[in-house]
Amino acid sequence: MSKVVSDFQPDTITAPEWRQIVQSATDTAIISTDSSGRVTSWNRGACVLLGWSEEEMLGQTLERLFEDPEQINREIRDASDHGRGGAEGWRLKKDGGQLWAAGEMSPIRGSQGEITGFVKILRDRTRAKVAEDEAAEERRALSILNRAGSALASESDLQRLVQIVTDAGVELSYAEFGAFFYNVTNQQGESYTLYTLSGVPKEAFSKFPMPRNTE
């Protein structure tokens, strides 16, 4: 049986070669910082995914990527203490948009084992996140409709039937509250009468004026 031995040695890669490898990763943001968290390199993938150029980011911190600026400091502490930091979440882009990124931060160590900086890697998972959220929302809506359908099938009281539908409508639409009105005719003309209410007690709803049909 023959044995294949690789001659590859990581230490043989020169700095220009390493930079070329990092810059070729256009679908992944690879960012290095110094020990205080200030950017020392920003690859082409970071430009593509996040919008800022390397010139704009050199010497800056990564706080602008997070809605909570303290998040990057937590990642640095985790990387220092445990060898790795980071998590999935929404990250901010230069144009004001967001992307859902899977990211991690690892320490860079010197010859004596001391931390000389950090490497931050981000991968865009926005499409997968949107698909997951849409699937979860479809399952949620189907669950609500199935539950309401089962309740309607076993209910004969008209007001209870309308209440079930009102409750389901509020839950499906994420509304704070919802109500069902029906038309009546009185001395003042056509108006609405409250029939069912969901999400708040009637006492809380009483401060709202009753809707009316007008020209």
Side-chain angles (χ1 to χ4, degrees):
M1 179 181 296
S2 61
K3 182 177 182 181
V4 177
V5 179
S6 172
D7 293 329
F8 172 73
Q9 295 293 332
D11 292 342
T12 64
I13 298 179
T14 64
E17 289 173 331
W18 179 250
R19 181 172 178 82
Q20 184 177 354
I21 292 170
V22 170
Q23 289 294 345
S24 68
T26 56
D27 60 347
T28 302
I30 303 175
I31 306 159
S32 67
T33 75
D34 60 19
S35 58
S36 65
R38 297 195 175 276
V39 174
T40 56
S41 72
W42 182 268
N43 80 326
R44 192 174 305 161
C47 298
V48 172
L49 295 185
L50 300 168
W52 289 281
S53 67
E54 185 174 30
E55 291 74 17
E56 290 176 302
M57 289 303 299
L58 288 177
Q60 304 298 315
T61 70
L62 298 179
E63 291 181 356
R64 63 181 61 177
L65 273 60
F66 300 89
E67 292 182 334
D68 175 12
E70 180 59 25
Q71 175 64 32
I72 188 61
N73 296 322
R74 288 193 289 268
E75 291 193 10
I76 289 175
R77 288 195 297 269
D78 287 343
S80 299
D81 297 340
H82 309 294
R84 179 167 296 181
E88 288 194 19
W90 290 109
R91 301 293 176 257
L92 306 180
K93 300 165 61 175
K94 181 182 179 180
D95 63 5
Q98 292 183 317
L99 75 156
W100 184 268
E104 60 186 43
M105 175 167 275
S106 303
I108 301 171
R109 297 190 180 276
S111 57
Q112 305 300 316
E114 75 281 10
I115 293 177
T116 60
F118 300 91
V119 173
K120 175 72 176 173
I121 297 177
L122 287 174
R123 303 174 187 85
D124 186 0
R125 291 193 68 252
T126 305
R127 289 185 179 180
K129 173 63 175 174
V130 171
E132 290 170 6
D133 289 349
E134 288 177 349
E137 178 60 23
E138 288 179 2
R139 291 193 298 270
R140 189 189 79 90
L142 184 59
S143 175
I144 294 169
L145 292 173
N146 285 339
R147 187 171 70 246
S150 297
L152 290 172
S154 60
E155 183 61 65
S156 59
D157 179 77
L158 178 60
Q159 183 154 0
R160 279 296 306 149
L161 289 170
V162 178
Q163 186 67 57
I164 290 168
V165 173
T166 307
D167 292 341
V170 170
E171 193 173 357
L172 281 169
S173 63
Y174 293 98
E176 182 178 350
F177 61 85
F180 176 80
F181 298 86
Y182 67 92
N183 293 341
V184 296
T185 302
N186 55 26
Q187 293 180 348
Q188 290 75 36
E190 189 178 35
S191 65
Y192 287 111
T193 294
L194 179 64
Y195 192 65
T196 59
L197 180 65
S198 179
V200 290
K202 287 189 176 182
E203 296 75 28
F205 192 77
S206 63
K207 62 183 179 181
F208 293 96
M210 296 295 286
R212 293 178 57 83
N213 277 339
T214 65
E215 294 182 2

